[in-house]
Amino acid sequence: MKLIINGCEAQVSATRLDALIRELDHQDQWVATAVNGKMVPRDRRVAHALKEGDRIEILSPMQGG
Amino acid sequence: MKLIINGCEAQVSATRLDALIRELDHQDQWVATAVNGKMVPRDRRVAHALKEGDRIEILSPMQGG
Amino acid sequence: MKLIINGCEAQVSATRLDALIRELDHQDQWVATAVNGKMVPRDRRVAHALKEGDRIEILSPMQGG
Amino acid sequence: MKLIINGCEAQVSATRLDALIRELDHQDQWVATAVNGKMVPRDRRVAHALKEGDRIEILSPMQGG
Amino acid sequence: MLTIYGKTLSSRLFLGTAQYPSPAILADAARASKPALLTVSLRREMAGGKTGSGFWDVVRELGIDLLPNTAGCHSAKEAITTAQMARELFGTDWIKLEVIGHHDMLQPDVFGLVEAARALSAEGFKVFPYTTTDIGVAERLLEAGCEVLMPWCAPIGSARGPQDVQALKSMRGYFPDVPLVVDAGLGRPSHAMTVLELGYDAVLLNTAVAGADDPVGMARAFALAVEAGRLAFESGMLEPRDMAVPSTPTFGMAEFS
Amino acid sequence: MLTIYGKTLSSRLFLGTAQYPSPAILADAARASKPALLTVSLRREMAGGKTGSGFWDVVRELGIDLLPNTAGCHSAKEAITTAQMARELFGTDWIKLEVIGHHDMLQPDVFGLVEAARALSAEGFKVFPYTTTDIGVAERLLEAGCEVLMPWCAPIGSARGPQDVQALKSMRGYFPDVPLVVDAGLGRPSHAMTVLELGYDAVLLNTAVAGADDPVGMARAFALAVEAGRLAFESGMLEPRDMAVPSTPTFGMAEFS
Amino acid sequence: MLTIYGKTLSSRLFLGTAQYPSPAILADAARASKPALLTVSLRREMAGGKTGSGFWDVVRELGIDLLPNTAGCHSAKEAITTAQMARELFGTDWIKLEVIGHHDMLQPDVFGLVEAARALSAEGFKVFPYTTTDIGVAERLLEAGCEVLMPWCAPIGSARGPQDVQALKSMRGYFPDVPLVVDAGLGRPSHAMTVLELGYDAVLLNTAVAGADDPVGMARAFALAVEAGRLAFESGMLEPRDMAVPSTPTFGMAEFS
Amino acid sequence: MLTIYGKTLSSRLFLGTAQYPSPAILADAARASKPALLTVSLRREMAGGKTGSGFWDVVRELGIDLLPNTAGCHSAKEAITTAQMARELFGTDWIKLEVIGHHDMLQPDVFGLVEAARALSAEGFKVFPYTTTDIGVAERLLEAGCEVLMPWCAPIGSARGPQDVQALKSMRGYFPDVPLVVDAGLGRPSHAMTVLELGYDAVLLNTAVAGADDPVGMARAFALAVEAGRLAFESGMLEPRDMAVPSTPTFGMAEFS
């Protein structure tokens, strides 16, 4: 299935958000996720089915002022 | 009829706004009027019937910065 | 003999500066002295004869900024 | 005779200051003169004999702030 | 020349009409300074049309265009109704829009201001908003239909002059083509001149003139200051330098040693 | 009117003649600003009286009183000889006395300045000393015979404007009856206006005008600024206040609630 | 001690974590200055959780409370979603709310800011709003549920220090009991000290420390400045005077004439 | 470390001893701020060595090096005799040289100052001259033998803080290797910090501490300010910029639209 992940098109096999995080080799507890502009909390990722063309944001801690 | 004119209670005989202006001896063209918080244009004063307790504002030109 | 001590006229019996300091009950090591606008060092007080009308300044430590 | 005129060495034939001004083709009334650091007024130039090595300053009006 | 809402103004000075020792002195101050606009307000009529009518006769005789204000309004609703009444009374759709947040600072309430500016522009008013140097607020006022902005440079009547020159510069730089009029906070002609030198288009004054020992002389001084400030802006001023630079040429110095 | 050394001056602006793009532009700037005095200097004559003679013809044609300077002199001796030569060359005993301490600041050398002022006053010169705001130095200059003081407000040519307003106020307050002319450091007409508002009697300018994109327009702007600044001083300005004060009366406000 | 949202803070310094030469230098700067809070943000994860993880390990080891921000958000919606994600990621409901109006000034967009503050407060966030000195905006932020205000004193990263001291004083005077933290615009420790002397409760810094030649030394200097500034405020400073007043007593002066 | 006349000083704070509520509070203030030097003066002894002897006992117990002054002297002659008496009384050849021009400004009389500095240096005194930022005067003081300069930054006791930062910068830049101590005019710790940030080597204070509501707390605040200001100077501060610059990286921003 084709998704837009952090602004870039990507072809993935995962069908749920928790699987996508694993497929991308992210550390589950150090990322926050949003799908199509809405946050998806960590405990809902397992239940969150992905659809063709979903816009996924995967964010992690960064320097800030 | 009792009205509140520019914040003060007053007993008047006029039943329409144009008559009130005359009764108060104001110069019709140098005042602007509002009833119960809404402006009443000059040409509508004649048609504007007053009710007991109406709050009337009669304003005239003043210094301003 | 009459002197002007720190701006005030005074009648004293001392004839030398070291004696004057004692007569005025000052602590010798905590005052500095001048006669007629010139400093008289501590070790010269004993040799310094006073004359009628000499202007004596006797100064001590004070707060300063 | 060799002089230093406005900081530059120069060989001149004039022996008096008024003659020097003419020799240098200056307008007499629009220059002020000094010899060896001292001003020589206009009316004294005729009487002022020059000596070998004199330092002559010939100044004229200039922009100023 | 300065053009606002399609009208070319005769000067870069707008003058308030309040607080003068007498209507006659107001008239003399206006004649001495030839402002493009006079600001006026409206208040409750007392005792048969007599209130301040001496004032009103004087102002009409001056024949200067009027800019009514909504001074003292603390909500968009009050300001809107006041503007509607001013339009009828003064016969102009120009309005100096003031919505004041709280008393002790007389600071614009930017939320009420934008709301009222939207409503009044929609009713065809030509709004002159009294605002701050906040650029985001300014953008909303322009979106609302305003074609001029009137930022304060210090609290009303404080006479302190420009308190944040950087903010004034930023606003000028961000809106190069919008007429910007400094309204409120000016105390001295040099304050007015300073903002004109920064490229501001005009100033609106009242207290600094009316409260001077000689309001007529001060009005004239402000008029000259505004003219000179604009001329200086157009003539390209020097930038400040850190080091001293001689004006008189050093070349050709005599040596007397 | 301003009177110095018994002579009443036609304006409160003194203008320098250096650094203009051309003598013609200098002439136009002078005509546009009508200064009371033009400052000039003298330098080594080069090549048969031709040096800067275009300049000199132009200056004479203007018919404005001249104030020769001793710019660039680093000792009392140099300044005294230069003043003597200037007196003959320009036919005036007025002299702007500059004794400069060191190059990079062009700061007055107050020791050499007082020494030269004493000597020149004794020779009958009318000395206009370029000095600092140091009040003790000013007292010695007055004792030496000076009847005017010309303090800097910032380094020459820095265009920074008044750097220490308190010091300028103190000097004005300490010498209420001495003509005080701010010389050097002014960059913008509002700077000149500010010192006139403080009660200073005049300003001397050069770089700020000659170095402007349009020297003629800038000269005019400074002339207006000086006129307006004096008028403001005489008209009694408001003092700054901390709190905001309404200009439009709040009495008689309508209630629409 | 300073208490915000019921939590007593260990210092009056909040430190940003961006722009340091290395995570190690950030850690040393934090140890040298002992800030009460470290600000952090979140960004797109690149390449398998490796992005800035060196940074993240360092920050966790420091064991200092975190204040996530919504830097770079240009709408309430973006800021709200970012805050929700930050709450989960950093395990705190404290959020530094930035809604930026436009790029070149990084000025708060006060409309988006108030909208986002209302929504986030309703969701239980403890909002630290990055705002201006606008008092009307501040009142709406407090109504929205904010228990602290973080006004700028100059544009972010400008290092200019307080540009409008009167406005800062007015805000402090108008909200005597609200914790006020100056966020953005500070360049020098003396700037931070100045706002503490005015009675501000704390400062938030980043560029001034991270961009110094020696960030660790500068962090320490700011920590001392903040401590000293608060101590000065509590110790009751002298008011400026116009006239000079001797410190050494003049009574009892000797006479040597 | 700061070294003056070959002696390394323990701090960059010099503290005056006048105007404290009591000698005990002076002692506590000195203990709280650990100044390198305490300034003292001498006055006419009254009534048998009792005058201010409580003060004198306290000062001796503190065991801090003393810097006697010539405060109140209006001529070189007075200052020289006072210095000679101070040397004997306090057992030190260090002297803070004050020659005051006139009362209301307590401004240094630079002519008397240089004259006295020459005479005292010739007698072996280590002169600490209280002077202005005048660079020509400073050069003469150095020629006279002074190895330190103590310029004012505002009138004594005015508490106004630096009035002409450009002049302070110029003096620092012109004398990179001479110890420069700001003496007089400081009112707030941030003022002291500002001059240390400019690279000044130390400050001398009195009124700002003694006149505070809590002199002991204020003394501590100044001590921290001086330490922090020096640290900031050595750590290389950011220069102010005109435009805003983001601290949080903008790279990797999420998109929620």
Side-chain angles (χ1 to χ4, degrees):
Chain A
M1 167 166 58
K2 191 187 287 174
L3 303 173
I4 300 167
I5 302 174
N6 287 350
C8 310
E9 290 203 347
Q11 190 68 42
V12 303
S13 52
T15 60
R16 294 186 175 277
L17 189 54
D18 64 324
L20 178 65
I21 300 300
R22 282 194 300 280
E23 178 175 346
L24 295 174
D25 187 27
H26 290 321
Q27 299 160 289
D28 184 65
Q29 78 278 31
W30 293 131
V31 296
T33 49
V35 178
N36 300 328
K38 292 217 159 356
M39 178 191 180
V40 179
R42 190 174 291 121
D43 57 11
R44 305 245 196 81
R45 291 176 193 157
V46 60
H48 193 97
L50 300 173
K51 301 185 313 301
E52 183 75 15
D54 276 347
R55 287 177 293 97
I56 316 291
E57 290 287 341
I58 304 173
L59 307 186
S60 58
M62 181 64 62
Q63 297 90 326
Chain B
M1 169 165 56
K2 189 188 289 174
L3 304 172
I4 300 168
I5 302 174
N6 286 350
C8 310
E9 290 204 345
Q11 190 68 42
V12 303
S13 52
T15 61
R16 294 185 176 279
L17 188 53
D18 63 326
L20 177 65
I21 300 301
R22 281 193 300 280
E23 178 176 346
L24 296 174
D25 186 27
H26 289 321
Q27 299 161 288
D28 185 65
Q29 79 276 32
W30 292 131
V31 295
T33 50
V35 178
N36 299 329
K38 292 215 160 357
M39 179 191 181
V40 178
R42 189 173 294 121
D43 57 12
R44 305 244 198 80
R45 291 176 193 157
V46 60
H48 192 97
L50 300 174
K51 302 184 314 299
E52 183 76 14
D54 275 346
R55 287 176 294 96
I56 316 292
E57 290 288 341
I58 304 172
L59 307 187
S60 58
M62 182 63 62
Q63 296 91 324
Chain C
M1 171 164 54
K2 190 187 287 174
L3 303 172
I4 300 167
I5 301 174
N6 286 350
C8 309
E9 291 203 345
Q11 189 69 43
V12 303
S13 52
T15 60
R16 295 188 175 275
L17 188 53
D18 64 324
L20 178 65
I21 299 300
R22 281 193 301 280
E23 178 175 345
L24 295 174
D25 186 27
H26 290 321
Q27 300 160 288
D28 184 65
Q29 79 277 30
W30 293 132
V31 296
T33 50
V35 178
N36 300 327
K38 292 215 159 357
M39 179 190 180
V40 178
R42 190 173 292 120
D43 56 13
R44 305 243 195 81
R45 290 174 193 159
V46 59
H48 192 97
L50 300 173
K51 301 185 313 300
E52 183 74 15
D54 275 347
R55 287 177 293 98
I56 316 291
E57 290 287 341
I58 305 171
L59 307 187
S60 58
M62 181 64 61
Q63 298 89 325
Chain D
M1 168 166 58
K2 190 187 288 173
L3 303 173
I4 300 167
I5 302 174
N6 287 350
C8 310
E9 291 203 343
Q11 190 70 42
V12 303
S13 52
T15 60
R16 294 187 177 275
L17 188 54
D18 63 325
L20 178 66
I21 300 301
R22 282 192 300 280
E23 178 175 347
L24 295 175
D25 186 26
H26 289 322
Q27 299 160 290
D28 184 66
Q29 79 276 31
W30 293 132
V31 296
T33 50
V35 178
N36 300 327
K38 291 215 160 357
M39 179 191 181
V40 179
R42 190 173 293 122
D43 57 12
R44 305 246 196 79
R45 291 174 194 158
V46 60
H48 192 98
L50 301 174
K51 300 184 316 299
E52 183 75 16
D54 275 348
R55 286 176 295 95
I56 316 292
E57 290 288 341
I58 304 173
L59 307 187
S60 58
M62 181 64 62
Q63 298 90 324
Chain E
M1 300 290 282
L2 174 60
T3 299
I4 302 179
Y5 288 116
K7 182 177 178 64
T8 298
L9 301 180
S10 59
S11 97
R12 295 173 179 279
L13 180 69
F14 305 169
L15 190 63
T17 59
Q19 300 181 311
Y20 292 81
S22 73
I25 289 175
L26 159 61
D28 291 343
R31 290 191 199 93
S33 56
K34 300 187 174 38
L37 298 171
L38 288 177
T39 55
V40 292
S41 70
L42 25 64
R43 288 289 183 272
R44 283 169 167 176
E45 179 63 14
M46 309 298 177
K50 304 296 164 289
T51 310
S53 59
F55 156 77
W56 183 226
D57 297 340
V58 160
V59 166
R60 276 179 296 163
E61 279 161 21
L62 286 168
I64 298 171
D65 290 331
L66 300 181
L67 179 63
N69 70 29
T70 63
C73 293
H74 289 274
S75 71
K77 178 181 181 307
E78 275 178 67
I80 292 165
T81 305
T82 301
Q84 293 165 335
M85 296 172 81
R87 174 159 58 178
E88 180 181 83
L89 195 57
F90 295 107
T92 175
D93 54 10
W94 287 23
I95 189 76
K96 173 183 167 182
L97 180 61
E98 285 187 45
V99 183
I100 299 303
H102 44 27
H103 301 268
D104 69 347
M105 292 296 297
L106 300 173
Q107 189 182 65
D109 168 26
V110 298
F111 287 79
L113 179 67
V114 169
E115 177 188 349
R118 286 204 183 101
L120 290 170
S121 297
E123 291 185 29
F125 281 89
K126 310 279 195 297
V127 178
F128 289 64
Y130 164 58
T131 185
T132 67
T133 53
D134 187 304
I135 291 176
V137 171
E139 287 179 316
R140 281 173 172 75
L141 290 168
L142 297 174
E143 290 160 12
C146 298
E147 297 181 12
V148 57
L149 299 169
M150 303 210 297
W152 71 352
C153 74
I156 291 179
S158 71
R160 304 191 70 86
Q163 295 296 289
D164 187 348
V165 167
Q166 286 298 318
L168 289 168
K169 282 185 182 176
S170 296
M171 191 178 201
R172 178 72 285 179
Y174 201 75
F175 300 109
D177 304 323
V178 177
L180 298 180
V181 181
V182 167
D183 178 5
L186 300 168
R188 304 184 155 203
S190 58
H191 298 158
M193 193 166 194
T194 297
V195 298
L196 270 291
E197 286 173 347
L198 293 175
Y200 277 71
D201 295 285
V203 295
L204 194 163
L205 296 164
N206 189 338
T207 313
V209 168
D213 296 344
D214 172 5
V216 179
M218 193 59 74
R220 174 74 182 143
F222 270 102
L224 289 168
V226 166
E227 178 186 354
R230 182 64 185 185
L231 185 53
F233 171 70
E234 292 171 343
S235 300
M237 296 175 291
L238 283 185
E239 282 308 303
R241 296 176 240 186
D242 262 9
M243 296 315 297
V245 178
S247 51
T248 301
T250 50
F251 172 81
M253 281 293 297
E255 286 168 23
F256 300 123
S257 51
Chain F
M1 300 289 283
L2 173 60
T3 299
I4 302 179
Y5 288 115
K7 183 179 178 62
T8 298
L9 301 181
S10 58
S11 97
R12 296 173 179 279
L13 180 68
F14 304 170
L15 189 63
T17 59
Q19 301 181 311
Y20 292 81
S22 73
I25 289 175
L26 159 61
D28 291 343
R31 291 192 198 94
S33 56
K34 300 187 174 36
L37 298 171
L38 288 177
T39 55
V40 290
S41 69
L42 25 65
R43 286 291 182 271
R44 284 168 165 177
E45 178 64 11
M46 308 300 177
K50 306 294 164 291
T51 310
S53 58
F55 156 75
W56 183 226
D57 297 339
V58 160
V59 166
R60 275 180 296 164
E61 279 161 22
L62 285 168
I64 299 170
D65 289 332
L66 299 182
L67 179 63
N69 71 29
T70 64
C73 294
H74 289 273
S75 71
K77 179 181 180 308
E78 275 178 69
I80 291 165
T81 304
T82 302
Q84 293 166 335
M85 296 172 81
R87 174 158 58 176
E88 180 181 83
L89 194 58
F90 295 108
T92 176
D93 54 9
W94 287 23
I95 188 77
K96 174 184 166 182
L97 181 59
E98 285 186 44
V99 183
I100 299 303
H102 44 33
H103 301 268
D104 69 348
M105 293 295 298
L106 299 173
Q107 189 182 64
D109 168 26
V110 297
F111 287 79
L113 180 66
V114 168
E115 178 189 349
R118 287 202 181 102
L120 291 170
S121 296
E123 292 185 29
F125 282 89
K126 310 281 194 297
V127 177
F128 290 63
Y130 164 58
T131 185
T132 68
T133 53
D134 187 305
I135 292 176
V137 171
E139 287 178 316
R140 281 172 170 77
L141 290 168
L142 297 175
E143 290 159 14
C146 297
E147 297 181 13
V148 58
L149 299 169
M150 303 210 296
W152 71 352
C153 74
I156 291 179
S158 71
R160 302 191 71 87
Q163 295 295 289
D164 188 348
V165 167
Q166 287 297 319
L168 290 168
K169 282 185 181 175
S170 297
M171 191 178 201
R172 177 73 285 179
Y174 201 75
F175 301 109
D177 304 323
V178 177
L180 299 180
V181 181
V182 168
D183 178 4
L186 301 167
R188 305 184 154 203
S190 58
H191 298 159
M193 193 167 195
T194 296
V195 298
L196 270 290
E197 285 173 347
L198 293 175
Y200 278 71
D201 294 283
V203 295
L204 194 162
L205 297 164
N206 189 339
T207 313
V209 167
D213 296 344
D214 172 4
V216 180
M218 193 59 73
R220 174 72 182 144
F222 270 102
L224 290 168
V226 167
E227 179 187 354
R230 182 63 186 186
L231 185 53
F233 171 70
E234 293 171 344
S235 300
M237 295 174 292
L238 283 185
E239 282 308 303
R241 297 176 240 186
D242 262 10
M243 294 315 295
V245 179
S247 52
T248 301
T250 51
F251 172 80
M253 280 293 298
E255 286 167 24
F256 300 123
S257 52
Chain G
M1 299 290 281
L2 173 60
T3 299
I4 302 178
Y5 288 115
K7 183 179 178 63
T8 298
L9 300 181
S10 59
S11 97
R12 295 174 179 278
L13 180 68
F14 305 170
L15 189 65
T17 58
Q19 301 181 309
Y20 292 80
S22 72
I25 289 174
L26 159 61
D28 291 343
R31 290 191 199 94
S33 56
K34 300 190 173 35
L37 298 171
L38 287 177
T39 55
V40 291
S41 69
L42 26 64
R43 287 290 182 271
R44 284 169 166 175
E45 178 65 10
M46 309 299 178
K50 304 294 166 287
T51 310
S53 58
F55 155 77
W56 182 227
D57 297 338
V58 159
V59 166
R60 275 179 297 164
E61 279 162 20
L62 285 168
I64 299 171
D65 289 331
L66 299 181
L67 179 63
N69 70 28
T70 64
C73 293
H74 289 273
S75 71
K77 179 181 181 308
E78 275 177 67
I80 291 165
T81 304
T82 302
Q84 293 165 335
M85 296 172 81
R87 175 159 58 177
E88 179 181 84
L89 195 56
F90 295 107
T92 176
D93 55 9
W94 287 23
I95 189 77
K96 174 184 167 182
L97 180 61
E98 284 186 47
V99 182
I100 299 303
H102 45 34
H103 300 269
D104 69 348
M105 292 295 298
L106 299 173
Q107 189 182 65
D109 168 27
V110 297
F111 287 79
L113 179 67
V114 168
E115 177 188 350
R118 287 203 182 102
L120 290 170
S121 297
E123 291 185 30
F125 282 89
K126 309 279 194 298
V127 178
F128 290 63
Y130 164 59
T131 186
T132 67
T133 53
D134 187 304
I135 291 177
V137 171
E139 287 178 317
R140 281 173 170 76
L141 290 167
L142 297 175
E143 290 161 13
C146 297
E147 297 181 12
V148 57
L149 298 169
M150 303 210 296
W152 71 351
C153 74
I156 292 179
S158 72
R160 304 192 69 87
Q163 295 295 290
D164 187 348
V165 167
Q166 287 298 319
L168 289 168
K169 283 185 180 175
S170 296
M171 191 178 201
R172 178 72 285 178
Y174 201 75
F175 301 109
D177 303 322
V178 177
L180 299 180
V181 181
V182 168
D183 178 5
L186 300 167
R188 305 185 153 202
S190 58
H191 297 159
M193 194 167 193
T194 297
V195 298
L196 269 291
E197 286 173 347
L198 293 174
Y200 278 71
D201 295 283
V203 295
L204 193 162
L205 297 165
N206 190 337
T207 313
V209 168
D213 296 345
D214 173 4
V216 180
M218 193 59 73
R220 174 72 181 145
F222 270 102
L224 290 168
V226 167
E227 178 186 354
R230 181 65 184 185
L231 185 53
F233 171 70
E234 292 171 344
S235 300
M237 296 175 292
L238 283 185
E239 282 308 302
R241 295 176 241 186
D242 262 11
M243 295 314 297
V245 179
S247 52
T248 301
T250 50
F251 173 80
M253 283 292 298
E255 286 166 25
F256 299 123
S257 52
Chain H
M1 299 292 280
L2 173 60
T3 298
I4 302 179
Y5 288 115
K7 182 179 177 64
T8 298
L9 300 180
S10 59
S11 95
R12 296 174 179 277
L13 180 68
F14 305 170
L15 190 64
T17 58
Q19 301 180 311
Y20 292 80
S22 73
I25 289 174
L26 160 60
D28 291 343
R31 289 191 199 94
S33 56
K34 300 187 175 38
L37 299 171
L38 288 177
T39 55
V40 291
S41 69
L42 24 64
R43 287 290 183 270
R44 284 169 166 175
E45 178 65 12
M46 308 301 178
K50 305 296 166 288
T51 309
S53 58
F55 155 78
W56 182 227
D57 297 340
V58 160
V59 166
R60 277 179 298 165
E61 280 162 20
L62 286 167
I64 298 171
D65 289 330
L66 301 181
L67 179 63
N69 70 28
T70 63
C73 293
H74 288 273
S75 71
K77 179 181 181 308
E78 275 178 66
I80 291 165
T81 304
T82 301
Q84 292 165 336
M85 296 172 81
R87 174 159 57 177
E88 180 181 85
L89 195 57
F90 295 107
T92 176
D93 54 10
W94 286 23
I95 189 75
K96 174 184 167 182
L97 181 60
E98 284 186 46
V99 183
I100 298 303
H102 44 25
H103 301 268
D104 70 347
M105 293 294 298
L106 300 174
Q107 190 181 64
D109 168 26
V110 297
F111 288 79
L113 180 67
V114 169
E115 177 188 350
R118 286 203 182 103
L120 290 171
S121 296
E123 292 185 29
F125 282 89
K126 309 280 194 298
V127 178
F128 290 63
Y130 164 59
T131 186
T132 67
T133 53
D134 187 304
I135 291 177
V137 171
E139 287 179 316
R140 282 173 170 77
L141 290 168
L142 297 175
E143 289 160 15
C146 297
E147 297 181 11
V148 57
L149 298 168
M150 303 211 295
W152 70 352
C153 74
I156 291 179
S158 71
R160 303 191 71 86
Q163 295 295 290
D164 188 348
V165 167
Q166 286 298 319
L168 289 168
K169 282 185 182 177
S170 296
M171 191 178 201
R172 178 71 286 178
Y174 201 75
F175 300 108
D177 304 322
V178 177
L180 298 180
V181 181
V182 168
D183 178 4
L186 300 168
R188 305 185 154 202
S190 58
H191 297 159
M193 193 167 194
T194 297
V195 298
L196 269 290
E197 286 173 347
L198 293 175
Y200 277 71
D201 295 284
V203 295
L204 194 162
L205 297 165
N206 190 337
T207 313
V209 168
D213 296 344
D214 172 4
V216 180
M218 193 59 73
R220 174 71 181 145
F222 270 101
L224 290 168
V226 168
E227 179 187 353
R230 182 65 185 184
L231 184 53
F233 171 70
E234 292 171 344
S235 300
M237 296 174 292
L238 282 186
E239 283 308 303
R241 296 176 242 186
D242 262 10
M243 296 313 298
V245 179
S247 52
T248 301
T250 50
F251 172 80
M253 282 292 298
E255 287 167 23
F256 299 123
S257 51

